[in-house]
Amino acid sequence: MYAGQGRRTQADRDAITVEIGYALFSAAFAAAVVFGVVAGPALLFALPPGVERMLVLFALALAAPLFVARVVSVLLRFRRGASPVVVPRSSPGAPGPQPSQPGRTSPDS
């Protein structure tokens, strides 16, 4: 636990669990796709044994770092938090800000 953050709520723990699951699932999917694309021909067609072995090893060499990179990138993005909300600027003819209390008008109206 980080200093100064206090205890995490159940919602925070649930969000972390979901994000870890998403990171692992999406990384496994991406790695499987890359492995299938690279090693697929070696597994589907009758190629010379040296070529088959080279394709499978190359696929593993690509898929493993991709898996790690995907997990790290998803978890770091979660740690930084969501992207800030961009509030569009109002056009010149647009009404001003809303009153602070619902049901009441602005003081200058």
Side-chain angles (χ1 to χ4, degrees):
M1 188 176 307
Y2 298 106
Q5 285 189 336
R7 296 184 62 135
R8 290 190 174 112
T9 64
Q10 184 63 41
D12 291 338
R13 292 192 300 270
D14 290 345
I16 291 168
T17 302
V18 168
E19 200 65 24
I20 290 170
Y22 169 73
L24 292 172
F25 181 78
S26 66
F29 181 77
V33 168
V34 168
F35 182 84
V37 167
V38 176
L43 301 173
L44 292 176
F45 303 115
L47 298 175
V51 174
E52 283 184 12
R53 181 170 169 80
M54 182 192 66
L55 284 175
V56 170
L57 289 176
F58 187 64
L60 284 172
L62 287 176
L66 174 66
F67 179 85
V68 173
R70 178 66 182 162
V71 169
V72 169
S73 69
V74 168
L75 294 179
L76 286 178
R77 192 175 322 139
F78 176 74
R79 184 177 177 191
R80 281 187 289 226
S83 61
V85 176
V86 177
V87 178
R89 292 185 178 182
S90 61
S91 60
Q98 293 291 319
S100 61
Q101 296 177 344
R104 297 190 181 190
T105 59
S106 297
D108 59 345
S109 59

